[in-house]
């Protein structure tokens, strides 16, 4: 097992970039893929985790009045976020556990990779994590139900590129575990634009345990996985041929 401590970090003296809590992470599923950074390929392994939480310092947002439905958070410019999808430790951990459970039971068929379009470089899409859902819930509802949580995670993951437009970001889905195909610009992988819960009928009726989200995390010095795409969500650049292929 691996313990990962996440501490409070402040942006502009106002924004807590992460709740202060510790996850005890237990690897459940491992997959390998290929990521491209600045046109170069880097082989890496991605491990999926289940988690247990031990509180180091109580998240101040945990004390919010349950009736405060209009709370949006510092620097957030979007519509109100449901209480169970606000970016606090309890919610983040619950959705991570749901992701791990659904992934273990249903496999890659019930997961999707999640990208967010850079608001200042529209052809650039940042990988920010993965969603999972039970078989009765389509990916459109899975993303819509968790939109605020996913968007906030992305804004904190890439504060320079995404946080200025937090609340106005566009989320796209791709097939689960398709990082290698995305990295090679393979034409059969298309990114599909997702919508917020107010535009997806029945999204708010989905129970939070029926969907899950596991956010991307960076190792020290990691540039982050991204892809250049057209307006239609297709690769902007030609397919890269595998140098090992004959």
């Amino acid at each position: 097992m691996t313990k990962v401590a996440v501490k409070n970090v402040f942006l502009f003296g106002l924004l807590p970039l992460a709740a202060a809590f510790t996850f005890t992470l237990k690897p459940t599923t491992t997959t390998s893929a290929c990521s491209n950074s600045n046109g170069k390929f880097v082989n890496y392994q991605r491990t999926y985790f289940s988690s247990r939480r031990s509180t180091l310092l109580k998240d101040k947002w945990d004390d919010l009045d349950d009736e405060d439905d209009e709370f949006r958070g510092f620097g957030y410019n979007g519509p109100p976020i449901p209480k169970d999808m606000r970016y606090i430790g309890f919610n983040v951990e619950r959705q991570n556990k749901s992701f791990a459970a659904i992934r273990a039971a249903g496999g890659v068929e019930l997961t999707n990779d999640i990208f967010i379009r850079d608001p200042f470089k529209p052809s650039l899409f940042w990988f920010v994590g993965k969603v999972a859902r039970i078989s009765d819930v389509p990916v459109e509802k899975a993303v819509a139900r968790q939109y605020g949580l996913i968007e906030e995670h992305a804004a904190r993951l890439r504060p320079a590129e995404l946080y200025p437009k937090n609340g106005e970001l566009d989320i796209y889905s791709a097939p689960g575990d398709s990082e290698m195909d995305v990295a090679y610009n393979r034409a059969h992988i298309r990114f599909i634009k997702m919508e917020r819960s107010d535009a997806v009928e029945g999204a708010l009726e989905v129970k939070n345990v029926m969907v899950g989200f596991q956010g991307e995390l960076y190792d020290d010095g990691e540039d982050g996985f991204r892809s250049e795409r057209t307006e239609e969500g297709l690769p902007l650049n030609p397919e890269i041929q595998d140098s090992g292929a004959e």
Side-chain angles (χ1 to χ4, degrees), residues 186-240:
R186 288 172 179 154
H188 69 282
I189 299 296
R190 181 185 178 191
F191 291 5
I192 305 297
K193 188 177 184 296
M194 300 287 100
E195 301 293 342
R196 296 179 185 271
S197 59
D198 59 353
V200 179
E201 184 177 358
L204 292 178
E205 299 171 8
V206 176
K207 294 182 179 180
N208 54 39
V209 295
M210 294 180 176
V211 295
F213 173 66
Q214 187 171 80
E216 172 75 326
L217 298 174
Y218 292 158
D219 294 328
D220 291 341
E222 187 175 349
D223 289 335
F225 181 41
R226 64 270 204 184
S227 177
E228 289 187 295
R229 297 267 147 176
T230 67
E231 285 290 331
E232 293 75 29
L234 297 172
L236 182 64
N237 301 307
E239 181 175 342
I240 299 173

Side-chain angles (χ1 to χ4, degrees), residues 30-206:
T30 302
T31 184
S32 60
C34 184
S35 169
N36 60 343
S37 174
N38 297 324
K40 297 181 180 180
F41 285 95
V42 179
N43 291 321
Y44 73 98
Q45 288 188 327
R46 185 175 302 283
T47 302
Y48 299 92
F49 297 97
S50 58
S51 64
R52 291 182 298 173
R53 179 191 183 205
S54 60
T55 302
L56 296 180
L57 188 67
K58 190 174 182 181
D59 190 324
K60 65 181 181 179
W61 287 354
D62 287 337
D63 285 331
L64 286 173
D65 190 333
D66 286 342
E67 297 180 357
D68 184 14
D69 290 327
E70 296 301 313
F71 179 80
R72 289 173 168 82
F74 295 114
Y76 178 75
N77 302 312
I81 299 172
K83 293 189 292 291
D84 64 347
M85 289 298 161
R86 294 174 188 168
Y87 200 84
I88 59 175
F90 179 82
N91 292 341
V92 172
E93 181 189 10
R94 183 193 59 241
Q95 295 314 115
N96 180 73
K97 286 182 175 179
S98 293
F99 176 92
I102 296 170
R103 169 90 185 195
V108 68
E109 291 78 10
L110 295 180
T111 67
N112 287 84
D113 295 350
I114 298 299
F115 291 80
I116 285 195
R117 192 175 192 175
D118 192 311
F120 303 106
K121 297 179 181 179
S123 64
L124 191 62
F125 292 72
W126 295 97
F127 174 74
V128 299
K130 295 172 180 278
V131 297
R133 77 274 181 200
I134 65 171
S135 57
D136 291 341
V137 177
V139 63
E140 292 82 4
K141 285 187 178 181
V143 173
R145 182 67 174 89
Q146 303 176 100
Y147 205 107
L149 188 80
I150 296 170
E151 185 176 35
E152 185 71 20
H153 178 81
R156 297 176 185 219
L157 183 70
R158 307 291 315 184
E161 296 89 356
L162 303 180
Y163 202 86
K165 294 293 184 179
N166 189 17
E168 306 170 32
L169 298 172
D170 291 332
I171 295 178
Y172 287 73
S173 71
D177 293 1
S178 61
E179 296 100 319
M180 182 176 292
D181 289 333
V182 171
Y184 278 95
N185 297 324
R186 288 172 179 154
H188 69 282
I189 299 296
R190 181 185 178 191
F191 291 5
I192 305 297
K193 188 177 184 296
M194 300 287 100
E195 301 293 342
R196 296 179 185 271
S197 59
D198 59 353
V200 179
E201 184 177 358
L204 292 178
E205 299 171 8
V206 176

